[in-house]
Amino acid sequence: MSGIPLDNNPSLILCFLSGTVYLDHAGATLFPQSQLTSFTNDLMENVYGNPHSQNISSKLTHDTVEHVRYRILEHFHTSTEDYSVIFTAGSTAALKLVAEAFPWVSPGPESNGSRFCYLTDSHTSVVGMRKVTTAMNVTSIPVRPEDVCAAETRGTAASDPDCQLPHLFCYPAQSNFSGTRYPLSWIGEVKAGRMCPVSVPGKWFVLLDAASYVSTSPLDLSVHQADFVPLSFYKIFGFPTGLGALLVNNRVAPLLRKTYFGGGTAAAYLAGEDFYIPRQSVAERFEDGTISFLDVIALKHGFDALERLTGGMENIKQHTFTLAQYTYTALCALRYPSGAPVVRIYSDSEFSSPEVQGPVINFNVLDHSGNIIGYSQVDKMASLYNIHVRTGCFCNTGACQRHLGISDEMVRRHLEAGHVCGDDVDLIDGHPTGSVRISFGYMSILEDAQAFLRFIIAMQLHQCDGQPLPQTTPGEVGAPSESEAQDAVPATVDRCSSSPQEDAPTDSGVSNDLPTTVAAVGLRPPLPMATRTQQTPSEKAAGVLDGGFGPRVITNLYLYPIKSCAAFEVTKWPIGSQGLLYDRSWMVVNHNGVCLSQKQEPRLCLIQPFIDLQQKIMVIKAKGMEPIVVPLEENGERTQICQSKVCADRVNTYNCGEKISSWLSRFFGHPCQLLKQSSNFQRSAKKRVKDQSAGSTATLSLVNEAQYLLINRPSVLELQQQLNASDANGKEELFPMKELISRFRANIITSGTSPFEEETWDEISVGSLRFQVLGPCHRCQMICINQQTGQRNQNVFQKLSESRARKVSMIANCDTCFKIPFCFLSLFIYLGGGQREREREREEENPKQSLWRGSNS
C-alpha cells in the first residue's frame, strides 16, 4: 500500500497505549512523542512572558507568536497580505465570533434584511449561529446539499447584482459525519454571484468550515479565497487542545463589527465615559485578553513534526484516503451466507477519489436478518478488542437525519422518550438514533484497518456461522455445590400484573427511610432434600424439580467492598442504609483522582478485600503483595474530605492514607489511591419506583445505580450452554458456572426459576425482607473479564447480546410506546424503606424470620 511509512519511523512514538487501534482521528488526532519533547525542551530553555508586556521575555513571546501566525498562513498557501489570523478557543469560538461580528442588516422599510444560509450537513456549532442571527431578526435558512448542487447546475444569480445587502453562506469543506467533501469551487461561485444558496438580491460572503477537512488535506487559500475559515488545531496536530483560529480575508475584515472589548484590544479608552478606540490590527482588535500564548508556541513544534514525519499534507491526504478506500471496499464485500450485507454505509460517494471523499467511514452493523445492531453495542464490543471508534450523531443532526431517515417528528419523540445527544440509547422502536464512525489520521497504518475488519468479521460472521474466535480460558460447567443447595433459603416473587408485555420488565424503585442502625441478616436452616427426585445435571444446576421448578431460593451472597475489586462472599451480613454494609464503599482512583474500573484496569479483580467487623478492619490481599490493613471507618479529627465523581455524581470521599496508596501503586505499576465515601455523605439514586416521592429516594454507596444487584442461576445456565455450544470442536466446556456468575458481580444469586423469569418481577420477598425491583441492569464489557485471572473473553458479551437483543423495555410517552432493546441478565433492586421499618419490629418478635442466605457483589 502506498502512503507514509509511519510504522517504520522510529521517531513517531505515540503517547498512547501500545496495542490500541485508534480510529477516531476526525474527533481528535494523536500526537507524536517527538512533538511533545521538542515543545517541552523549548519551554525549559526559554522564558516566555505575557506578550502584552514590554520586557525581554514578553518580546520573545510576541515575536514567536507572530512567527506562528506566518507559519499558519504559509501552511494554507497564503500570506498576511490576504488573511489575518485571530486565535480563538477553537473552531466553535471562531464561528461564534463571526456570528457576532458579521455586518447583519435587520429587515426594514427599504430591504428584507440579511440572510444566514447554512448547509444542513453542518456541525452543531454552525447551526448554533442562527441563535445570534435570530436575536437580530435576521432570517436563517437551512439548505440541503442537493439543493446547492441544483443551484450550481442552474447557475442561479441574484436578481439585483448591484445590491450590497450582506448575506452569509456557511458550509463544511468536509462533512464530519460521512467524510463527504463538498466542492471548494462553491466559494468562488457564490462570491461571484454565479450561484446563490437562495435567490435573494445582495452580496454573498462565504464561511468555509475547514476544521474536519484540514486535518488530513491541504487547503490552498490563494485559490479558494473564503471570507472566513475557522480551524481547530488539535484535529491537525493532536496537541494542543482548546486552541483554534479564525482566518479572516483582509478585504472583509473592515466590515466586521465588535461591541465588547477586552484587554489588549484597545488603542485608547476612558473608564468614566463611553470612549473607546480599537487597535488597528485585526488580530489585536478581536483577541480579547491574553491569548493562550504557550499553546500557540506549541503549534510551531506541531508544524515541525508534521512536516518532518510526513513530508506535507498532500502525502497525508493520499495516505489516509488509501486506508479509507481499502477499508470501505472490504466492508462492502462482507456478506452473510445468505448474501445479506454485514454493514450499511452512509456515504455520498463510492470512495473513488480524495477530492470527493475524506478518510471517514460512517456505518451501522446489521444482523443476518438486516436489522441494525445498536451503535452502543458495537462500541462496547470494539472496546473489548481495544479499538476506539466514535458513535452517535457526531454533533451533526442534519446529516444524521438525512442518512438514517430520521424525521423532525422522530427527533422530538426520541427526546420525549428520554434520548439526548451523546447517550447510549441507540435504537428506539427498532430505528437507529445514530451510527458508528471510523476515521484515519496520518499515523494510521494498514494494520489498524485490518484489525478493525477482523473485529467486524469476528463479531458478525463468526457469530452467524457458529465459529467464534478460539478461547483461552477452558473450564468446566459449574452447578451449585451440594453445600450451596443445602444452605439455600426460599424466596417469593410478585409479578407485575399490569405489565403490557409479559417479558418486558418495568422500572420500579423504593422509598429509603431506612433506620440508621444495622439489622443483622443471617442463615436460614437448609431446605429439606427428601422431596427432591432424580434430576439431570442441567436441572440440578438450575434448581429445577421433577415436574416443574422448585422453590425460588437464594444460593449466594456477595459484597464488593472496593468498587471493581474482587468479591467477598459471606453467609450473613448486616444491612446498612445504602445496601449491604460496606458494599462498594471504597474505590481506587488514578493520579488524576479518576475512579478506576475493570474496563480500564482489569487487574482490579485480582485485589481481594476481606472485612473483619469485630476488629473493624479491612484486609486487602493480592498475589505477590504483603497483606495490608485498612480501618473501616475514618478518624473524624484527622480526615480531610475531598470531592470525587462516580457515575457522573459528585461524592464526598476521604483518602485512606499513603501506605495503601503506595501498596496499590506498586501493584498496578502507576500512581493510585484508595478513597472511601464519607460516612455522612448521602448520594441519592436517580431512578425511583412508580409513585415514589422524591423525599423517599434511596441513598447509594459507590454503586452505579441501585443498592443491590440480583442475578438468576437458570439465566446464567442458559447463557453458559450457548457459550459452550458455540465452541468449534464441541468438546471443551469453556465456562464453569461459578466463574461465569462471578462476571456479573451480583449481590444476590437466586435459583429455582425458569431462565429470565426475573425480568417480570416487581417485588422480591426474602423471609421478612421485601425488595422492590428497579429494573434491568444494562450490561457492559466488564462481563467479559474473568474475575479470577483478569483476562478478557469477548464471547460472553457477544453471546448475551445475541440472545437477549430482542428483549425490550417499554418507555411510555403520552400515547406512544418506544421499544428500547436491552441486553441484561440481572436486576437492580432496593430494600423498601417503610417495609424495612415494619419488618424490623417483627424481627424483634421472631428473630429467625430475619435470616437469609446469599451473596453480595
Side-chain angles (χ1 to χ4, degrees):
M1 175 175 292
S2 63
I4 308 167
L6 296 173
D7 49 329
N8 297 322
N9 193 328
S11 64
L12 187 69
I13 305 174
L14 298 178
C15 296
F16 217 77
L17 299 177
S18 62
T20 296
V21 178
Y22 185 82
L23 295 176
D24 188 25
H25 293 275
T29 196
L30 304 180
F31 48 83
Q33 180 176 317
S34 58
Q35 178 182 341
L36 286 190
T37 301
S38 178
F39 175 52
T40 53
N41 288 342
D42 188 351
L43 296 185
M44 295 296 291
E45 296 168 1
N46 297 283
V47 177
Y48 292 105
N50 189 311
H52 292 165
S53 299
Q54 299 298 319
N55 57 57
I56 298 175
S57 60
S58 299
K59 185 65 165 61
L60 176 63
T61 302
H62 177 271
D63 291 345
T64 307
V65 167
E66 293 308 303
H67 171 76
V68 173
R69 293 189 206 270
Y70 300 149
R71 190 77 175 270
I72 293 170
L73 295 176
E74 181 184 11
H75 183 79
F76 294 110
H77 304 279
T78 187
S79 68
T80 55
E81 294 181 359
D82 295 321
Y83 282 88
S84 295
V85 178
I86 302 172
F87 287 114
T88 64
S91 58
T92 294
L95 290 164
K96 184 171 180 284
L97 190 157
V98 174
E100 294 173 340
F102 190 79
W104 307 107
V105 174
S106 300
E110 298 181 358
S111 75
N112 292 325
S114 299
R115 296 291 188 273
F116 169 53
C117 283
Y118 58 90
L119 208 65
T120 53
D121 186 358
S122 288
H123 194 278
T124 301
S125 299
V126 170
V127 181
M129 295 171 67
R130 71 186 183 198
K131 296 297 289 184
V132 177
T133 62
T134 299
M136 303 181 67
N137 203 22
V138 170
T139 302
S140 298
I141 304 174
V143 183
R144 299 180 303 172
E146 52 267 35
D147 293 336
V148 179
C149 293
E152 184 181 23
T153 303
R154 293 194 307 267
T156 305
S159 58
D160 184 2
D162 295 327
C163 179
Q164 296 299 303
L165 187 66
H167 308 298
L168 181 63
F169 173 53
C170 301
Y171 80 98
Q174 174 178 294
S175 168
N176 73 310
F177 181 90
S178 64
T180 296
R181 287 183 168 169
Y182 294 103
L184 296 177
S185 60
W186 285 358
I187 299 171
E189 294 293 307
V190 171
K191 290 180 64 175
R194 293 188 293 272
M195 182 181 83
C196 296
V198 293
S199 185
V200 293
K203 180 178 177 61
W204 282 94
F205 297 87
V206 177
L207 184 153
L208 180 72
D209 181 5
S212 178
Y213 180 85
V214 298
S215 62
T216 55
S217 285
L219 174 62
D220 191 341
L221 291 180
S222 67
V223 176
H224 307 289
Q225 296 188 357
D227 298 297
F228 308 100
V229 183
L231 309 168
S232 281
F233 291 108
Y234 72 93
K235 292 183 181 293
I236 305 174
F237 307 121
F239 176 85
T241 58
L243 180 67
L246 176 66
L247 307 188
V248 181
N249 193 309
N250 289 336
R251 291 192 294 272
V252 180
L255 302 178
L256 299 181
R257 301 177 302 197
K258 191 167 184 283
T259 52
Y260 173 83
F261 64 93
T265 64
Y269 76 95
L270 291 175
E273 62 179 83
D274 188 10
F275 173 76
Y276 162 71
I277 303 298
R279 288 183 179 269
Q280 291 300 310
S281 163
V282 176
E284 290 179 323
R285 189 160 18 120
F286 284 94
E287 290 174 351
D288 291 308
T290 302
I291 62 173
S292 185
F293 56 89
L294 292 182
D295 286 340
V296 172
I297 293 170
L299 295 181
K300 171 191 178 299
H301 302 280
F303 281 116
D304 290 343
L306 195 74
E307 294 173 4
R308 182 178 68 254
L309 297 172
T310 69
M313 295 304 298
E314 187 62 37
N315 288 341
I316 294 175
K317 172 183 172 182
Q318 296 299 328
H319 172 71
T320 54
F321 174 74
T322 302
L323 290 174
Q325 185 184 51
Y326 163 81
T327 308
Y328 168 82
T329 303
L331 283 175
C332 290
L334 292 180
R335 302 279 168 174
Y336 288 102
S338 64
V342 173
V343 300
R344 179 178 298 160
I345 296 177
Y346 306 111
S347 175
D348 293 315
S349 78
E350 296 183 351
F351 285 70
S352 58
S353 163
E355 306 306 319
V356 298
Q357 179 65 46
V360 176
I361 304 175
N362 197 306
F363 65 96
N364 268 317
V365 179
L366 309 175
D367 65 18
H368 58 87
S369 299
N371 300 310
I372 289 177
I373 297 174
Y375 62 74
S376 181
Q377 181 175 324
V378 176
D379 189 21
K380 290 175 181 177
M381 286 297 300
S383 67
L384 294 174
Y385 288 79
N386 213 7
I387 296 174
H388 297 208
V389 300
R390 180 79 175 266
T391 59
C393 272
F394 323 103
C395 295
N396 191 332
T397 299
C400 194
Q401 286 188 256
R402 173 171 167 256
H403 286 284
L404 274 62
I406 303 174
S407 67
D408 293 349
E409 179 60 26
M410 290 172 69
V411 172
R412 294 187 178 95
R413 289 168 59 192
H414 292 176
L415 177 63
E416 292 171 357
H419 169 58
V420 296
C421 293
D423 66 16
D424 59 358
V425 180
D426 47 20
L427 293 171
I428 295 182
D429 203 18
H431 199 284
T433 63
S435 54
V436 183
R437 185 187 73 185
I438 63 171
S439 50
F440 298 95
Y442 75 81
M443 68 290 298
S444 300
I445 56 177
L446 177 61
E447 284 75 5
D448 293 336
Q450 292 173 333
F452 168 75
L453 292 170
R454 284 195 298 268
F455 154 66
I456 295 294
I457 292 170
M459 185 177 76
Q460 293 306 112
L461 295 181
H462 283 194
Q463 167 183 303
C464 181
D465 296 337
Q467 300 291 331
L469 295 177
Q471 304 300 317
T472 57
T473 53
E476 295 180 350
V477 177
S481 64
E482 185 175 346
S483 61
E484 288 176 332
Q486 289 176 344
D487 289 330
V489 74
T492 60
V493 176
D494 290 338
R495 292 176 181 268
C496 175
S497 59
S498 60
S499 175
Q501 188 171 316
E502 184 175 350
D503 60 354
T506 340
D507 279 358
S508 103
V510 300
S511 55
N512 191 41
D513 49 339
L514 292 174
T516 56
T517 57
V518 175
V521 180
L523 290 178
R524 266 209 160 192
L527 290 175
M529 301 299 292
T531 58
R532 296 182 181 272
T533 57
Q534 191 65 31
Q535 297 169 303
T536 65
S538 296
E539 290 173 334
K540 190 173 181 180
V544 181
L545 295 177
D546 185 37
F549 296 101
R552 299 181 179 94
V553 297
I554 291 176
T555 62
N556 302 88
L557 182 69
Y558 296 96
L559 64 139
Y560 298 82
I562 307 175
K563 187 175 177 67
S564 267
C565 289
F568 176 44
E569 184 169 11
V570 295
T571 56
K572 62 179 180 180
W573 201 254
I575 289 179
S577 61
Q578 299 172 337
L580 292 171
L581 189 63
Y582 297 120
D583 179 44
R584 295 174 173 91
S585 291
W586 290 264
M587 63 179 176
V588 180
V589 299
N590 65 11
H591 64 289
N592 290 323
V594 176
C595 177
L596 293 178
S597 75
Q598 291 183 26
K599 286 180 278 189
Q600 299 90 23
E601 183 52 83
R603 291 180 296 165
L604 281 166
C605 68
L606 305 180
I607 293 180
Q608 177 69 65
F610 301 87
I611 289 181
D612 188 325
L613 292 176
Q614 291 185 342
Q615 297 189 51
K616 298 181 179 181
I617 61 172
M618 176 171 63
V619 180
I620 304 175
K621 298 180 180 180
K623 186 176 180 180
M625 304 289 291
E626 289 292 326
I628 187 169
V629 175
V630 175
L632 293 182
E633 299 297 340
E634 66 265 39
N635 184 333
E637 297 179 358
R638 297 184 300 172
T639 301
Q640 183 175 357
I641 302 299
C642 58
Q643 292 192 347
S644 304
K645 208 166 193 179
V646 171
C647 300
D649 291 338
R650 178 188 61 83
V651 294
N652 284 356
T653 61
Y654 69 88
N655 194 308
C656 295
E658 287 299 324
K659 288 185 179 180
I660 183 60
S661 296
S662 298
W663 191 92
L664 291 169
S665 300
R666 288 197 305 273
F667 180 79
F668 290 115
H670 54 81
C672 292
Q673 295 178 328
L674 183 68
L675 304 184
K676 183 179 186 292
Q677 182 170 317
S678 178
S679 57
N680 58 5
F681 177 79
Q682 288 195 341
R683 172 185 169 222
S684 299
K686 296 177 181 177
K687 291 185 177 181
R688 296 195 296 268
V689 293
K690 187 178 180 181
D691 300 327
Q692 180 185 350
S693 63
S696 60
T697 302
T699 59
L700 305 179
S701 61
L702 301 177
V703 297
N704 287 0
E705 293 186 66
Q707 293 176 336
Y708 302 89
L709 185 62
L710 177 146
I711 196 169
N712 190 17
R713 277 183 178 271
S715 305
V716 182
L717 176 64
E718 184 170 302
L719 173 64
Q720 180 201 41
Q721 292 169 342
Q722 293 172 0
L723 287 166
N724 293 340
S726 67
D727 181 33
N729 54 38
K731 296 180 180 179
E732 281 190 312
E733 295 178 335
L734 303 176
F735 294 92
M737 189 70 165
K738 185 174 182 180
E739 189 272 312
L740 194 55
I741 285 176
S742 70
R743 293 170 179 257
F744 290 88
R745 302 177 61 78
N747 298 103
I748 301 169
I749 316 298
T750 65
S751 191
T753 71
S754 60
F756 303 105
E757 178 186 310
E758 67 275 14
E759 295 171 9
T760 64
W761 296 351
D762 256 353
E763 188 175 277
I764 302 167
S765 297
V766 183
S768 62
L769 302 175
R770 293 177 62 191
F771 297 85
Q772 291 180 304
V773 177
L774 179 64
C777 170
H778 299 254
R779 300 300 353 158
C780 67
Q781 59 265 40
M782 276 179 62
I783 64 174
C784 297
I785 299 172
N786 185 313
Q787 295 299 298
Q788 280 70 51
T789 66
Q791 295 179 344
R792 297 178 187 269
N793 185 310
Q794 294 91 341
N795 255 19
V796 179
F797 184 86
Q798 187 167 331
K799 274 295 174 184
L800 183 58
S801 302
E802 178 185 357
S803 62
R804 306 303 296 158
R806 299 282 76 83
K807 287 291 179 184
V808 297
S809 176
M810 305 301 293
I811 296 182
N813 173 39
C814 298
D815 298 325
T816 309
C817 284
F818 297 91
K819 297 181 179 180
I820 301 181
F822 282 115
C823 169
F824 52 82
L825 196 65
S826 49
L827 298 177
F828 284 132
I829 58 177
Y830 287 132
L831 178 63
Q835 171 66 22
R836 176 68 191 128
E837 191 66 49
R838 293 189 294 273
E839 297 300 339
R840 189 179 171 207
E841 296 174 0
R842 291 164 58 183
E843 288 167 15
E844 294 173 354
E845 299 173 3
N846 188 356
K848 285 188 177 180
Q849 288 197 356
S850 70
L851 303 179
W852 64 318
R853 166 105 175 161
S855 68
N856 178 34
S857 140

